[in-house]
Amino acid sequence: GQNIDQPTEMTATEGAIVQINCTYQTSGFNGLFWYQQHAGEAPTFLSYNVLDGLEEKGRFSSFLSRSKGYSYLLLKELQMKDSASYLCAVRDPFGGATNKLIFGTGTLLAVQP
Amino acid sequence: SQTIHQWPATLVQPVGSPLSLECTVEGTSNPNLYWYRQAAGRGLQLLFYSIGIDQISSEVPQNLSASRPQDRQFILSSKKLLLSDSGFYLCAWSIAGTGSGGYTFGSGTRLTVV
C-alpha cells in the first residue's frame, strides 16, 4: 500500500521562509505533486517532482529525495495570502495511464503578521 | 484552454434523498476524470475514476455510483443519501499517462446531508 505523512499544522511569520515536509512509503515511485488549497476552495497545482533535486518556481520550491521517500515544499517571502492547506500527493506507481494520485491529509499553514 | 465546471456549489439534502452531481470538461478530448471526497479536516479520498466513456472504476465500497455518458461528462449519484455522505466533493481531470500533468480540479460541491 501507499502512505503519505505530513505535519497537520504549521505557523509562520509574514516575510519569513517555511518548509513543509512530506514523507511517503510506497512500493514504487512515479512522481510527486504539491497542491495549495485555500479554505472552501479546490486545490490548485503548485509543483511536480519526479527526479531527485530542487524545482524552483518563483517564491515556491519543491525538493525530492527518492531514496529517502522525502519531499519538501519551501515557501519564501511569506505573504498572508499563503495561509492555506498544502497537499502532498504521489502518483500511484501501478496506475499506468489512469494517473491516479494518492493524497496526504495536508498541512494547514497559518501566516501571522 | 481547458476548463472544468462542477455544480452545484452547495447542496443540503435530507437523509434518504437521491443525489446527482455533474462535472463537465471543455477544451480537451479523452480526459481522465476523477471524483474525490474531502471530509472535514481530512485528506482527499479517491471515489471513482474513468479513463473513457462508460469505463468507471470504484476505489472504495460506498453508497455512491458514477457514470460517464459522454466523453467530457462525469456524474456522481446516489439513490439514498446517508449522513456519512456529507463532505466536499471534487471533480478533476487530467491527461492520460504519467507525465508532469497533475489534476485540474473543479470548484467543488459542499454537500450536507441532514
Side-chain angles (χ1 to χ4, degrees):
Chain A
Q2 293 91 13
N3 191 47
I4 301 171
D5 294 308
Q6 303 178 238
T8 304
E9 297 180 355
M10 296 183 72
T11 302
T13 304
E14 191 176 16
I17 300 173
V18 70
Q19 177 175 312
I20 302 174
N21 296 324
C22 171
T23 57
Y24 60 91
Q25 298 85 39
T26 61
S27 44
F29 181 77
N30 195 13
L32 184 144
F33 297 81
W34 283 96
Y35 283 82
Q36 180 190 59
Q37 185 179 24
H38 285 101
E41 298 182 8
T44 55
F45 171 81
L46 287 178
S47 68
Y48 171 71
N49 295 75
V50 68
L51 299 176
D52 291 350
L54 190 67
E55 294 283 341
E56 297 186 80
K57 191 181 293 186
R59 293 191 299 116
F60 292 13
S61 303
S62 57
F63 172 83
L64 174 69
S65 170
R66 289 172 293 171
S67 62
K68 297 181 179 178
Y70 168 69
S71 174
Y72 67 72
L73 181 69
L74 193 70
L75 290 74
K76 303 175 184 176
E77 301 170 15
L78 280 172
Q79 302 175 10
M80 297 300 291
K81 67 178 182 179
D82 297 329
S83 294
S85 283
Y86 291 86
L87 310 178
C88 176
V90 295
R91 178 182 280 126
D92 183 343
F94 305 108
T98 66
N99 199 24
K100 289 190 292 180
L101 298 187
I102 303 156
F103 285 84
T105 53
T107 299
L108 182 61
L109 173 66
V111 179
Q112 298 179 338
Chain B
S1 63
Q2 301 90 2
T3 56
I4 179 168
H5 304 279
Q6 184 181 342
W7 68 93
T10 60
L11 197 57
V12 179
Q13 293 284 97
V15 169
S17 64
L19 173 74
S20 181
L21 303 181
E22 190 159 343
C23 174
T24 60
V25 180
E26 296 178 357
T28 188
S29 297
N30 304 315
N32 284 0
L33 296 171
Y34 312 86
W35 279 111
Y36 279 83
R37 177 171 59 204
Q38 187 174 38
R42 306 276 304 270
L44 294 173
Q45 180 186 36
L46 180 61
L47 302 176
F48 300 94
Y49 67 92
S50 170
I51 61 172
I53 295 174
D54 294 329
Q55 298 181 62
I56 310 294
S57 296
S58 174
E59 286 291 290
V60 292
Q62 59 199 304
N63 184 42
L64 302 168
S65 62
S67 61
R68 184 173 177 173
Q70 301 180 46
D71 180 46
R72 290 169 287 180
Q73 183 185 29
F74 206 23
I75 298 171
L76 184 69
S77 303
S78 174
K79 292 182 179 178
K80 290 185 178 182
L81 283 169
L82 306 172
L83 287 174
S84 58
D85 292 324
S86 294
F88 190 45
Y89 288 82
L90 289 158
C91 179
W93 80 271
S94 81
I95 59 173
T98 58
S100 61
Y103 291 173
T104 300
F105 286 90
S107 53
T109 297
R110 176 80 53 194
L111 172 66
T112 304
V113 183
V114 296

